Amino acid sequence: MHRHFEHALDALKTDIIRMSSLAEQAIAGSIRALLERKPELARDIISNDDQINLMEVRIDDAVVDLLALQQPVASDLRLILAALKINNDLERIGDHAVNIAESAVQCAEHEPIKPFEDITEMARITKEMLRDSIDAFIHSDPEKSRQVLANDDSIDALNKKVVSDLVGVMREHPDRIEHALDLIRVSRNLERVADLATNIAEEVIFIAEAQVVKHHLDKRGAWH
Amino acid sequence: MHRHFEHALDALKTDIIRMSSLAEQAIAGSIRALLERKPELARDIISNDDQINLMEVRIDDAVVDLLALQQPVASDLRLILAALKINNDLERIGDHAVNIAESAVQCAEHEPIKPFEDITEMARITKEMLRDSIDAFIHSDPEKSRQVLANDDSIDALNKKVVSDLVGVMREHPDRIEHALDLIRVSRNLERVADLATNIAEEVIFIAEAQVVKHHLDKRGAWH
């Protein structure tokens, strides 16, 4: 029975790794479609979202089976429920990739405008956050989770900068308003992906240290 | 033991109803702060989000206890896991209320612009969707869930109209770009709240009919 449980838990972790790879690839692909102006690639990302959705359902089913058959308690139970939440977070990341891909299709019809560099940097950091948060979950590594939390501030700052730059573009070039809006949408979607990676990281810290950092006190002493 | 389980399940449902009331009040309050130009009310909404966050943690803990102590299987297990997801969705709705309240603070500094009527209508439908989805969960009513799903299309259409109207405003009044962007943000946040209510409704149908409508085939025969 015990060996059986360990085996099922490993299988669940492997599924979460696969699911996170799909989500990561979707984000990377949607950003590449935007930067390299490839609407066909963007359409692929949109249609491939099925795979992520189906995988979410499959992992949910595996969790139900695991809980029903093995009836885990204490830390095993918390770990499995965390996997359920992470699964849901990853599916949402897939949805954000679809949003970015939709904007990439729109953007390909217009002359490129700045600030692509900041969006590239946001995508790079976000991808790292997602990968680190999943690594932290797989290896129960709260220290790695804390790195993810620290990176979230950079993403928020970059998002603010991108929005402010694009407001400037809109003011000077009213004919580019719709294009700029699409880029703002991309930036906000990346910010949301970073938030979801942060959720995953907080979940890992919560399990590891059995303390609620999810709604942690921020620097101003107020609830974050 | 059985009576104990029924009692714990009722307590969980009551908690979900309370949590949804908090989320609904937060959305209603943030929209009122926007429409009536009351930044103080908006700030209250922002600081009250603590309550929703703490309640999420409390409900999560209750679910862990319920699973560990009662070790439910089959439909009871699925119901409890659905409550866990719904709890998470409600917490996210609270976050969207905070986003709307932040925009309300910004908007109060500017001359009001249209299209407030469409935003009012979006808020009305979204509130109804949220309430119906929770009712559907509490009473295991898949028919009520289907109404929620149908309403989601109206919200998407209204969101598109609001964005398009505001692009028009930005084009004619470049000095109002930032204000219009805040209203677009409000509209998109309401659209996300409607999506989350839709998630809840789909969860109810899934439990009731043990079929996956979450990633359902849409009218075009493609995965939604």
Side-chain angles (χ1 to χ4, degrees), chain B residues 79-91:
Chain B
L79 186 72
I80 292 166
L81 294 180
L84 195 71
K85 281 191 183 180
I86 291 169
N87 186 34
N88 193 234
D89 288 336
L90 292 171
E91 189 270 336

Side-chain angles (χ1 to χ4, degrees), chain B residues 146-164:
Chain B
R146 291 191 198 283
Q147 288 172 30
V148 176
L149 267 55
N151 269 330
D152 199 34
D153 290 341
S154 323
I155 289 292
D156 289 345
L158 277 167
N159 178 49
K160 272 191 187 144
K161 181 167 179 294
V162 168
V163 172
S164 148

Side-chain angles (χ1 to χ4, degrees), chain A residues 41-195:
Chain A
L41 174 57
R43 287 191 194 96
D44 283 349
I45 303 296
I46 294 168
S47 62
N48 284 343
D49 192 44
D50 301 357
Q51 266 188 281
I52 298 182
N53 294 342
L54 286 173
M55 184 131 191
E56 188 204 10
V57 173
R58 203 163 69 75
I59 294 178
D60 269 8
D61 286 345
V63 167
V64 172
D65 290 346
L66 193 55
L67 291 176
L69 293 174
Q70 307 283 345
Q71 313 226 322
V73 292
S75 65
D76 287 336
L77 178 57
R78 289 213 175 252
L79 187 71
I80 292 166
L81 294 181
L84 195 71
K85 282 192 184 179
I86 291 169
N87 186 35
N88 193 234
D89 288 337
L90 292 172
E91 189 271 336
R92 287 176 205 234
I93 289 175
D95 289 343
H96 289 294
V98 168
N99 291 347
I100 294 171
E102 285 171 354
S103 293
V105 172
Q106 298 297 321
C107 286
E109 293 173 10
H110 303 276
E111 279 291 293
I113 50 175
K114 293 286 164 199
F116 273 178
E117 279 165 29
D118 289 326
I119 286 180
T120 309
E121 178 67 0
M122 282 179 83
R124 190 190 64 74
I125 298 172
T126 301
K127 187 179 162 183
E128 193 178 296
M129 288 171 72
L130 176 57
R131 189 167 283 202
D132 284 349
S133 66
I134 296 297
D135 274 0
F137 171 68
I138 298 300
H139 304 294
S140 305
D141 181 349
E143 279 317 303
K144 184 155 258 175
S145 288
R146 291 193 197 282
Q147 288 173 31
V148 177
L149 269 53
N151 270 328
D152 199 35
D153 291 340
S154 322
I155 289 292
D156 289 345
L158 277 167
N159 178 50
K160 274 192 186 143
K161 182 167 177 297
V162 168
V163 172
S164 147
D165 286 353
L166 286 167
V167 167
V169 170
M170 289 193 264
R171 239 186 233 123
E172 285 187 39
H173 309 279
D175 56 313
R176 293 188 174 181
I177 284 175
E178 270 152 321
H179 188 185
L181 266 185
D182 269 314
L183 291 176
I184 287 177
R185 191 173 175 229
V186 168
S187 179
R188 286 195 175 145
N189 273 279
L190 283 175
E191 190 208 10
R192 287 294 301 137
V193 173
D195 281 348

